[in-house]
Amino acid sequence: MWGRMRRGMRKLNETPRDRVGLAWRDELAVDIHIHLQDIDCLEILADREFRASRQRIAALRELARQVPLSLHSVALGLASSEPVDEKRLARIAELTSRIEPDHWSEHLAFVRAGGFEIGHLAAAPYRPETLEGTLRNVERARRVVGSLPHLENIATSIRPPGSSWSEEHFVGQVLQGTRAPLLLDLHNLYANAWNFGRDPVELLRAMPLEQVRSVHLSGGCVVRDAAGVARLVDDHLHDPPDVVFDLLQVLAANATCGLTVILERDGQFPDFSAVLRQLALARAALARGRERPPLCRSAAA
Amino acid sequence: MSEALEILLARLYSSPLEAERFLEDRAAYARAAGLPDEHLQDMMAIDAGTLRFTAQSFEHKRRRSPRAGP
């Protein structure tokens, strides 16, 4: 009995194992290889590898053996009442079998409907019919790929017309129905809070934090529309703002599992020393969050 | 029913020009696109500036990074 209690107490006192890394971009390849010892994990954009050569796939597979690799998909359109794109799903399945990543991920977004290609991630109406379609699509993806994707919240400048639920309720319902892990993009969350006049910490706490397994950090900028209304756009071209690291700290204080944290950048790449500084900021935020006692962690989850 | 709404939204998000045409006469555009009456109020309630910004933002993203294209 005492042994079991000691093991239980040790479990309570253990700090979950977090990993901090970044999204692979070819522009950063040399620096990533040079600094691989400072990078715990990497994320590959799946859609860019659909036509990859055999040599490149072999290199990615080798990379996946050196460092935990996640395969990130952007165009399946899982959060939709329309069926998921089967051709893309088959390509994802093929890539996962060839590269053997740690896990794969996709957005809670729709990207096409009725033959109209949006070309990017859009929020479908948060309503029961979309939920039903999303549950079907995620299950289909699980069957074809062989594992559940980590599902990512998206940024949206428009509250999806026809919504009868809040974003967090929709995300919660999807995760409850699929049991999929949540990939929580903290800048997407911050952008939505900013654009819809909400408190980002409150929005964070309303998410199903017990299912968060991975995190995205990125940056954006404020732009004004023709009428002068300011909006925060998640563009992946700027450094993550301080508030994103503050949110990571709050998340770490409330998450019970280890987190895989990925820094995303799609252009206007800074000197790699700045990238490494941002990874250090993420590690520091995680450490501050993990210092909080377990009771505080579970209280807000 | 939600499928028709998604199709209409995809149509508006995929082209700023279509978004403008919709804003000129929302009800006529939505009905012509096959939207059931139950969703008409949702489309009438859209803020014009937000829809324009959203459609233009998608257009900008498509040009910059066609990562979610067909």
Side-chain angles (χ1 to χ4, degrees):
Chain A
M1 184 181 84
W2 290 110
R4 209 165 49 228
M5 273 185 71
R6 270 198 300 276
R7 280 196 296 278
M9 286 183 72
R10 194 163 57 233
K11 210 170 180 182
L12 271 177
N13 292 326
E14 274 173 7
T15 303
R17 166 92 172 92
D18 299 318
R19 306 188 286 212
V20 178
L22 71 157
W24 175 279
R25 298 292 178 263
D26 287 347
E27 294 89 334
L28 303 174
V30 172
D31 284 313
I32 287 175
H33 278 296
I34 291 171
H35 296 282
L36 207 51
Q37 76 281 359
D38 300 315
I39 299 167
D40 303 330
C41 50
L42 287 167
E43 180 186 273
I44 300 288
L45 203 50
D47 302 59
R48 287 191 182 157
E49 308 301 340
F50 286 161
R51 293 185 180 87
S53 67
R54 223 183 296 174
Q55 291 90 333
R56 184 170 170 96
I57 294 294
L60 290 174
R61 188 185 170 96
E62 180 56 32
L63 193 61
R65 287 176 178 164
Q66 294 175 51
V67 60
L69 199 73
S70 51
L71 194 65
H72 191 48
S73 169
V74 298
L76 286 178
L78 291 178
S80 172
S81 50
E82 278 202 6
V84 62
D85 183 330
E86 288 286 341
K87 279 185 185 170
R88 284 182 181 274
L89 202 50
R91 287 171 166 174
I92 298 287
E94 190 186 347
L95 270 181
T96 52
S97 72
R98 293 172 75 189
I99 297 174
E100 295 184 356
D102 183 70
H103 63 269
W104 72 287
S105 55
E106 177 56 277
H107 302 82
L108 281 172
F110 83 117
V111 293
R112 64 186 68 79
F116 295 99
E117 285 284 343
I118 302 169
H120 245 274
L121 307 162
Y126 303 135
R127 52 186 298 123
E129 296 95 322
T130 314
L131 173 64
E132 286 169 25
T134 307
L135 299 184
R136 275 196 305 272
N137 286 335
V138 173
E139 173 58 15
R140 177 70 188 150
R142 185 191 68 76
R143 281 172 183 258
V144 173
V145 179
S147 61
L148 279 167
H150 290 209
L151 296 174
E152 179 177 1
N153 60 309
I154 67 164
T156 177
S157 55
I158 189 168
R159 178 174 155 73
S163 293
S164 47
W165 293 334
S166 66
E167 179 197 4
E168 61 270 28
H169 183 78
F170 177 73
V171 171
Q173 290 292 305
V174 170
L175 293 193
Q176 190 179 17
T178 60
R179 310 311 301 163
L182 176 59
L183 161 51
L184 191 59
D185 187 311
L186 292 175
H187 193 264
N188 285 350
L189 181 143
Y190 174 59
N192 288 352
W194 200 96
N195 288 326
F196 301 120
R198 299 188 59 184
D199 176 353
V201 174
E202 194 180 284
L203 182 53
L204 175 70
R205 289 182 191 276
M207 289 289 182
L209 300 184
E210 68 283 359
Q211 276 176 263
V212 179
R213 297 292 180 277
S214 46
V215 178
H216 273 172
L217 309 177
S218 64
C221 66
V222 174
V223 295
R224 290 186 182 278
D225 67 14
V229 178
R231 300 170 200 275
L232 179 56
V233 176
D234 176 68
D235 64 7
H236 295 192
L237 299 176
H238 297 81
D239 295 346
D242 290 345
V243 65
V244 163
F245 294 105
D246 294 342
L247 290 171
L248 180 60
Q249 179 181 334
V250 175
L251 172 62
N254 290 281
T256 48
C257 292
L259 300 171
T260 295
V261 180
I262 295 288
L263 178 68
E264 289 184 299
R265 186 92 178 200
D266 289 343
Q268 297 180 16
F269 295 104
D271 187 88
F272 204 73
S273 60
V275 173
L276 292 174
R277 270 199 302 278
Q278 287 161 27
L279 298 186
L281 286 173
R283 287 194 178 94
L286 287 165
R288 285 196 302 275
R290 295 301 192 190
E291 278 170 10
R292 292 182 60 186
L295 277 178
C296 295
R297 280 188 205 149
S298 57
Chain B
M1 290 302 151
S2 182
E3 205 169 326
L5 184 57
E6 272 180 47
I7 292 170
L8 179 53
L9 292 175
R11 190 168 174 169
L12 304 182
Y13 295 165
S14 62
S15 163
L17 192 64
E18 288 298 315
E20 286 302 327
R21 287 176 58 192
F22 164 76
L23 290 171
E24 278 171 20
D25 188 344
R26 300 177 187 219
Y29 187 103
R31 287 200 178 102
L35 190 75
D37 283 349
E38 67 175 282
H39 288 310
L40 205 54
Q41 279 309 310
D42 297 324
M43 299 307 291
M44 300 300 280
I46 295 176
D47 175 68
T50 303
L51 178 61
R52 282 194 183 100
F53 179 85
T54 302
Q56 286 162 4
S57 174
F58 281 128
E59 176 75 0
H60 178 71
K61 285 176 175 175
R62 280 190 295 272
R63 284 186 192 153
R64 182 171 69 83
S65 156
R67 67 182 197 172

